Each structure stands twice: as structure tokens, then as C-alpha cells.
Amino acid sequence: MSKTSPQPALSRTQKKPRVRLQRDAKLAVLLFFLGWVMSYADRQLITLALPYIGEDLSLTPTQQGMLISAFFVTYAIVQIPGGILVDKVGAKRTAVTGVLAWSVFTVATGTAGSFAVMLAIRALFGIGEGVYPAASVKAVAERTSSEQRMTATGWMYSSNAVGTIVAALAGAALISAIGWQEAFFILGAIGVLVAVAIGFFLPNARADSTAAIEVEEQSQSTITSKDLFRSPALWGHVAMFFGYGVVAWGMSAWVPSYLVDARGIPLGVVATAAVIPVLAGGVASVLGGRLVDRLGGRHRLIIIPGMLASIVTLAMMTQELPVPVFVTLIGLLSFFSGMCYMPVFSSPVRGLPTAVVGTAYATISTGSQVGGILTPTIMGVVVENVSWEAAFGVLIAGCVICLVAAMLVPRGPEEFFATFTRRQKVTTDVA
């Protein structure tokens, strides 16, 4: 079969007209939005409850820190296996199982009577949450056209801000009113209801959800998980998200401590001020997704200016500034970097067959998790041995990594997909 020429209407290098989400796509986004709200609320609740857990279970600060780390370790480890599982057994089944699992372990957290039991529960909790990201992205991809995909995913990921605020406000209120154990019981029960809702109300996948380029090319080539892992282009996107994760996790881990310890701001004021960057990041996630869809998936047009603006903002944060100015800069940084979130995934999610989107997304997502594991420790070393301002300067390295990787990978979904067809053609010719 001869290779057909791309149709002008399918060009991904031209600005796309606005495409409205259909009813089924909106319902899918809403259901997985709710799932993500519970995901973030459940994982953030333990940070609020930790002082009470430490007191009741007689835990040392090191043990309390291990309870937080247990989640991140298993959450990171399960990303790629979870993506492969999603592509093999289906997004809906994996998502429902994941939400049910982590909700059960949320409830179980409230029953733990010792450090060892609590540590095991939080590790299992991380496994349940770890399969959900790839499942949610694949499910939305299967119910949208390629032109809508990042817009829909951006709306879904705006839930991160809502979940964080729910944990901060509702979680704190529940702990104060009825106790930390009961707070975990209530949030876990709500999570079970969300899992049931996804299982019963998620619409069927679209028959035409794959991108037009897939229809043209899939008859000539089939992309497998092995092809993904051998792809320099995909690992370039992993590097991009690693750089993004360095900035995001570094800020979330150390800004509250900086404001409390170095600037003497009361914790209640810090918690209130934290709403600003959370909301800024949520808005940016939606705008970044919509804009990259309008630009045909060309991520560089957003990531390059977004990361350059982030570098300038971080450079200003390395100076000793009045607290209101510093908080304003945090909001700007969350917005500039948040605009890059959806574009990092645009080429793989829009350009790959939906059959491997789960694996591709999970692989890229691992980059951010590695950044989350490394950056807080590195910043802590810099704070201890140099200064707070120098620690924020470290985050500039994350912006540079993301920026350079964005310039090296293919510029859009069509070019990204073509790297796989070229590799397969070379392999066939050699054989």
C-alpha cells in the first residue's frame, strides 16, 4: 500500500478552528474531574492530619516524613506499569479499580493503630492512585477528537486546584470538628461514590476518537509499548516533564517553610495565601490546554515563552523581597509554568494511537515524579548550606531542562508520529 499524502484539512501546523466538546466528552471530563478532586483531597489530607497522627501514634518527625514519602515512592513506581495495564485492560476498568482501591485505603488510614500499619496502608494508597492518571487521560482521549484532546484534559486537570483547596478547607474543618480518623472515613466514602459514578455513567468511547493521522497511517504501521520505550522523542517529553516537576514540586515542598521559618508568617496566613498559586495553576492548566489545541499541538509556542517567563520570575525570587511581592511572584510562577503542563503532553496524546496513549502518558508522568523525589532534598541541602534565595535559584535548572527538551523534540503531533513510522521503515528495510 502506497503512502498517501497528508490532506490539507488535517495539517497540524496550522491554527485549528475552535471545536466544542460534545456531551459525552463533557460528561467524561466531569467524572474524571471528580476523581482527580478526590485524589488530591485524599493525598493532601494526611499532611493536615500529620500532627495529630504523630501525637496519637507517638511518631517521631522522621517517621511522620516516611508516611508522606511512602505514597510518593509507590506512586512513582507504578506509573509505567499502570499505563501498560490501562492499555491492556481498558481505561474505565482500571480507573474504577484505582479509585475504589485508594478510597478503601483512605478509610483504612483512619483505622491504623501503629506506624508499621500506617506505613503499609499509605504505600498501598499510592499504588491505587498511581494507576489513575493514565486511565483518566486515556479515557478522555477515547471520547474526544484529537483537536479537542488537550482542551478536555486541561479542564480535567484544573481539578488539581479544586482538590487542593478542598483538602485545605474541608479537610481542616473535618479534622477540627470530628477528628482525623473520621475525616479519612468521610473522604474515603465519597471516593467510593465517585468510583461508582464512573462505572455507571461513563459514556462509551467514540468510534472516531482517534486522530485523522492514525486513520491514514495505522494500516501501514502499528506502534507498540516497546516502540514507545525506544523512542528518543518520547524520552524528550519525559525530560520536559521532569523539568516542570522540579519547579512544581520544589515550590510546593519549600515555599510554606520559607514563609513560616524565614519570614515569620503565621501558618494560617500561609495557608490562605497558598490559594493564590493553586488557583493560578488551575486557570493556567485550562488555558494551556485550549491554546495548544488551537495551535495544532505545537508545544514550543507555549513552553518556550512560559519557561522563559518562569526563569525571570525565579530570578526575582532569589532576592530578599517584601512578602506581598514574593507571594505575587509565586502566583505568577504558578501561572507561567502551569501554562506548560498540557503542552508537554500534546504531541504524544494527540499524535499517538489511543491504544498506547496510556503507556505514553504514564511514561512521561514518571519524569515529574522523579523531579518530586529529588528536588525537595536538593533544595533542603542548599537551604542548609547556602541560603533560601539560592534554593529558589536551583529551580531555574528545571526551567532550563524543560526549555531545552522542548526545542529538541518534534515540534508537533504530526512530526512526533512520523518519528515512529521512519524508525519502522528503517527496521523493515534492514530486515
Side-chain angles (χ1 to χ4, degrees):
M1 180 177 178
S2 61
K3 188 175 180 70
T4 56
S5 299
Q7 298 299 316
L10 302 179
S11 173
R12 294 166 187 260
T13 59
Q14 297 178 1
K15 185 178 179 180
K16 299 290 184 180
R18 182 179 180 184
V19 181
R20 293 184 179 277
L21 295 179
Q22 300 300 313
R23 178 184 178 278
D24 284 356
K26 291 179 180 179
L27 180 55
V29 169
L30 174 61
L31 290 170
F32 285 99
F33 178 98
L34 294 174
W36 272 109
V37 168
M38 295 312 303
S39 171
Y40 265 73
D42 288 351
R43 74 176 73 171
Q44 294 289 336
L45 182 61
I46 194 169
T47 63
L48 298 171
L50 203 56
Y52 306 93
I53 294 173
E55 181 179 353
D56 289 352
L57 301 185
S58 301
L59 303 182
T60 66
T62 298
Q63 289 175 318
Q64 293 179 44
M66 289 174 66
L67 292 180
I68 302 296
S69 297
F71 161 79
F72 284 105
V73 170
T74 55
Y75 185 81
I77 290 174
V78 83
Q79 290 294 303
I80 294 177
I84 295 173
L85 179 67
V86 167
D87 286 335
K88 286 186 177 295
V89 307
K92 179 178 177 179
R93 185 182 302 177
T94 307
V96 172
T97 302
V99 178
L100 279 175
W102 92 56
S103 298
V104 168
F105 291 124
T106 297
V107 173
T109 301
T111 68
S114 68
F115 168 70
V117 172
M118 178 76 80
L119 189 67
I121 289 172
R122 297 312 292 178
L124 292 170
F125 173 81
I127 294 174
E129 288 221 351
V131 302
Y132 185 74
S136 64
V137 171
K138 183 180 177 72
V140 170
E142 290 174 332
R143 289 155 182 83
T144 54
S145 66
S146 63
E147 290 80 8
Q148 302 170 318
R149 226 162 259 176
M150 302 320 297
T151 297
T153 306
W155 277 110
M156 179 179 71
Y157 270 110
S158 66
S159 57
N160 297 357
V162 178
T164 302
I165 294 173
V166 166
L169 301 181
L174 286 172
I175 291 172
S176 299
I178 60 177
W180 67 268
Q181 294 96 335
E182 289 77 7
F184 281 103
F185 296 159
I186 290 175
L187 287 191
I190 295 173
V192 171
L193 294 178
V194 171
V196 171
I198 294 174
F200 277 95
F201 299 114
L202 182 65
N204 293 328
R206 287 169 49 120
D208 61 341
S209 63
T210 54
I213 189 171
E214 296 169 28
V215 175
E216 178 184 335
E217 302 283 7
Q218 271 186 290
S219 61
Q220 302 164 44
S221 61
T222 302
I223 298 175
T224 66
S225 297
K226 290 183 179 179
D227 294 325
L228 293 178
F229 297 140
R230 294 169 181 167
S231 168
L234 184 69
W235 290 107
H237 284 268
V238 173
M240 268 196 282
F241 208 43
F242 170 78
Y244 170 88
V246 167
V247 179
W249 290 114
M251 293 297 294
S252 65
W254 282 107
V255 163
S257 295
Y258 169 74
L259 292 175
V260 172
D261 296 340
R263 305 305 296 270
I265 307 301
L267 182 59
V269 176
V270 172
T272 302
V275 173
I276 296 174
V278 168
L279 291 177
V283 171
S285 176
V286 174
L287 291 179
R290 290 175 65 88
L291 184 57
V292 78
D293 271 344
R294 295 297 300 277
L295 294 171
R298 290 178 291 170
H299 58 271
R300 295 178 189 172
L301 297 178
I302 302 173
I303 291 178
I304 291 176
M307 282 300 162
L308 287 174
S310 297
I311 290 172
V312 172
T313 306
L314 281 166
M316 295 174 65
M317 291 171 62
T318 62
Q319 309 302 311
E320 188 168 343
L321 301 167
V323 171
V325 176
F326 187 85
V327 172
T328 300
L329 290 175
I330 295 172
L332 289 174
L333 179 63
S334 295
F335 182 82
F336 294 142
S337 61
M339 284 287 290
C340 303
Y341 193 120
M342 288 297 103
V344 167
F345 294 96
S346 61
S347 289
V349 173
R350 285 174 55 115
L352 289 172
T354 53
V356 293
V357 161
T359 302
Y361 175 86
T363 303
I364 297 170
S365 180
T366 303
S368 176
Q369 309 312 318
V370 173
I373 293 171
L374 297 178
T375 308
T377 300
I378 293 173
M379 288 186 68
V381 171
V382 175
V383 168
E384 184 175 347
N385 294 283
V386 187
S387 68
W388 280 100
E389 290 75 22
F392 292 118
V394 169
L395 302 184
I396 293 176
C399 296
V400 173
I401 291 171
C402 184
L403 187 66
V404 172
M407 297 173 66
L408 294 177
V409 300
R411 64 178 182 174
E414 194 170 59
E415 294 82 2
F416 182 86
F417 183 84
T419 63
F420 291 91
T421 58
R422 285 197 297 268
R423 283 178 63 89
Q424 290 173 340
K425 184 177 185 302
V426 171
T427 302
T428 302
D429 291 344
V430 171

